[in-house]
């Protein structure tokens, strides 16, 4: 069963900004899925469309088989959203914030009461239930938004930058909580630009950049790919063809340099030993960053702690 299917989704804002250029995504039920990308990549736009806060320009979205065009209410019932910006009524109490949401989804009074207690306790806010939202710390406000998103027990929880600006201790306890509800069966999609967060939590990762999906793979495959390094070697002479090396893929570039890809189980000493045996001497060597690594470097540079706590 697919929790989410997105086909050829596009968005052009009224000012002409093209935020999504026809993206495809498919999220399996039960998955823990990261949508990773630098600021302005289109993450918030994508989840805004899925949660019907933003109108799409083209394409299709289905949530647990319900099209947002033809079965919007059914699709919405399946989703809980935790937005990036704090959008709480700051004068409302913690308890009422969650109660109002339960009312919005038509939960009976008794069930609402149970759920409010269940999620406020789980998110360590039960003691604060009579306090107004304004009195909460940044991390607590974020946890309250998670409790609010969960009160109707959606099958799909979407969190936009859940831990931006949250200190490390709270971040880790939120991760633990998200793992628990994922283990209990809730599909989770989160957007983040913290690679560490995606790596620690998610089993699948899609990387979006400038409105286009540039990577969509299991996390383990992406990490394996990142472990492969490519070096460019300048040799003392130009070879006719690339040498056969065990443990390394080598190819000759048109400029005569040798490009060598190193797997995680080999090191550069092995490479030099092999080249020595073939009487090939290396004049200089440089590291060739691959496209994904370059993107990750940029993502890390784009980290903006302190935003919207
Ligand atoms: P991300 O969440 O990855 O940071 P966004 O989806 O917020 O990216 O933004 C994608 C692009 O769309 C950016 O260029 C952003 O400036 C633009 N954008 C977002 N919201 C609006 C809007 N309401 N009006 C016009 N442009 C917007």
């Amino acid at each position: 069963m697919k929790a989410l299917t997105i086909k050829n989704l596009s968005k052009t804002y009224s000012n002409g900004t093209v935020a999504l250029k026809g993206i495809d995504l498919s999220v399996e039920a039960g998955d823990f899925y990261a949508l990773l990308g630098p600021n302005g990549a289109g993450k918030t736009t994508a989840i805004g469309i899925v949660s019907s806060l933003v109108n799409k320009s083209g394409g299709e979205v289905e949530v647990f088989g319900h099209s947002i065009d033809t079965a919007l209410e059914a699709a919405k019932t399946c989703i809980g959203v935790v937005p990036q910006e704090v959008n709480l009524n700051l004068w409302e109490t913690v308890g009422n914030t969650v109660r109002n949401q339960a009312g919005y989804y038509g939960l009976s009074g008794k069930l609402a009461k149970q759920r409010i207690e269940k999620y406020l306790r789980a998110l360590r806010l039960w003691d604060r239930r009579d306090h107004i939202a304004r009195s909460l710390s940044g991390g607590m406000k974020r946890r309250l938004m998670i409790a609010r998103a969960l009160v109707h027990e959606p099958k799909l929880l979407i969190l936009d930058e859940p831990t931006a600006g949250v200190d490390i201790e709270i971040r880790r306890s939120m991760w633990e909580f998200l793992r628990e509800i994922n283990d209990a069966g809730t599909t989770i999609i989160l957007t983040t630009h913290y690679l560490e967060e995606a790596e620690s939590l998610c089993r699948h990762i899609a990387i979006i950049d400038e409105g286009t999906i540039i990577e969509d793979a299991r996390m383990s495959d992406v990490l394996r790919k990142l472990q492969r390094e490519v070096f460019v070697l300048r040799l003392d002479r130009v070879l006719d063809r690339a040498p056969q090396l065990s443990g390394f893929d080598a190819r000759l570039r048109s400029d005569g340099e040798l490009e060598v890809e190193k797997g995680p189980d080999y090191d550069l000493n092995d490479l030099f030993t092999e080249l020595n045996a073939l009487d090939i001497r290396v004049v200089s060597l440089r590291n060739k960053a691959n496209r994904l690594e370059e993107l990750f470097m940029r993502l890390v540079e784009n980290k903006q702690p302190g935003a919207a706590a």
Side-chain angles (χ1 to χ4, degrees):
M1 179 84 194
K2 300 281 183 211
L4 178 67
T5 311
I6 290 180
K7 284 192 192 136
N8 200 20
L9 186 66
S10 61
K11 174 65 185 180
T12 304
Y13 283 103
S14 53
N15 66 358
T17 303
V18 180
L20 295 176
K21 300 172 183 165
I23 63 166
D24 296 307
L25 281 181
S26 171
V27 179
E28 292 291 335
D31 210 346
F32 205 139
Y33 197 100
L35 190 57
L36 189 79
N39 284 325
K43 305 180 296 293
T44 301
T45 301
I47 66 170
I49 293 170
V50 172
S51 50
S52 70
L53 300 169
V54 175
N55 291 324
K56 60 188 163 69
S57 304
E60 289 164 35
V61 176
E62 280 185 9
V63 183
F64 282 93
H66 306 294
S67 160
I68 63 165
D69 292 321
T70 55
L72 182 59
E73 285 310 313
K76 274 167 88 168
T77 305
C78 294
I79 303 179
V81 184
V82 183
Q84 194 178 139
E85 303 295 333
V86 173
N87 67 345
L88 299 165
N89 176 348
L90 295 178
W91 303 104
E92 191 65 273
T93 63
V94 167
N96 280 343
T97 300
V98 186
R99 190 167 294 111
N100 291 344
Q101 188 81 349
Y104 175 80
Y105 282 100
L107 269 59
S108 72
K110 190 167 163 234
L111 185 60
K113 216 167 150 226
Q114 284 169 2
R115 296 266 182 90
I116 293 163
E117 181 165 348
K118 174 178 173 185
Y119 287 106
L120 287 182
R121 282 194 188 280
L123 286 148
R124 292 182 289 124
L125 288 169
W126 181 241
D127 294 347
R128 301 269 179 164
R129 61 193 179 278
D130 296 324
H131 295 216
I132 57 170
R134 190 169 182 272
S135 68
L136 303 180
S137 70
M140 289 176 183
K141 286 189 185 111
R142 221 166 265 266
R143 287 187 339 247
L144 176 54
M145 294 203 295
I146 297 177
R148 183 182 62 177
L150 285 172
V151 75
H152 67 294
E153 299 201 335
K155 291 196 269 187
L156 171 61
L157 179 66
I158 302 178
L159 304 108
D160 194 2
E161 301 271 357
T163 60
V166 168
D167 72 40
I168 191 75
E169 200 185 323
I170 291 173
R171 179 174 303 174
R172 294 204 185 281
S173 72
M174 272 165 76
W175 288 0
E176 209 173 297
F177 176 75
L178 294 176
R179 270 194 208 106
E180 279 168 24
I181 60 165
N182 177 247
D183 285 345
T186 307
T187 310
I188 301 183
I189 301 175
L190 58 82
T191 77
T192 183
H193 53 231
Y194 296 115
L195 181 57
E196 189 203 353
E197 179 159 281
E199 193 180 327
S200 159
L201 288 175
C202 301
R203 284 188 293 277
H204 200 111
I205 185 171
I207 301 175
I208 183 167
D209 191 29
E210 295 181 358
T212 306
I213 301 286
I214 59 168
E215 181 75 48
D216 183 5
R218 285 197 314 225
M219 182 65 80
S220 53
D221 291 340
V222 174
L223 293 177
R224 199 168 305 126
K225 204 186 287 187
L226 280 172
Q227 282 174 355
R228 295 189 79 81
E229 280 181 286
V230 178
F231 294 93
V232 180
L233 279 55
R234 194 148 62 80
L235 308 176
D236 62 344
R237 62 197 147 98
V238 176
L239 304 175
D240 299 333
R241 54 193 160 83
Q244 290 282 333
L245 304 169
S246 56
F248 302 89
D249 290 330
R251 71 172 196 90
L252 266 189
R253 293 155 52 109
S254 55
D255 57 9
E257 291 182 323
L258 189 66
E259 208 170 279
V260 178
E261 184 170 337
K262 183 182 87 63
D265 300 333
Y266 293 85
D267 58 32
L268 287 176
N269 284 14
D270 299 324
L271 175 63
F272 286 121
T273 305
E274 287 200 50
L275 291 174
N276 267 338
L278 295 169
D279 201 25
I280 298 171
R281 304 205 65 78
V282 179
V283 177
S284 67
L285 167 147
R286 67 178 189 278
N287 196 324
K288 182 187 174 199
N290 70 26
R291 214 167 52 104
L292 203 59
E293 281 168 354
E294 278 170 18
L295 177 74
F296 273 103
M297 306 258 295
R298 254 177 47 209
L299 290 171
V300 172
E301 280 165 14
N302 269 335
K303 263 192 203 174
Q304 286 189 334

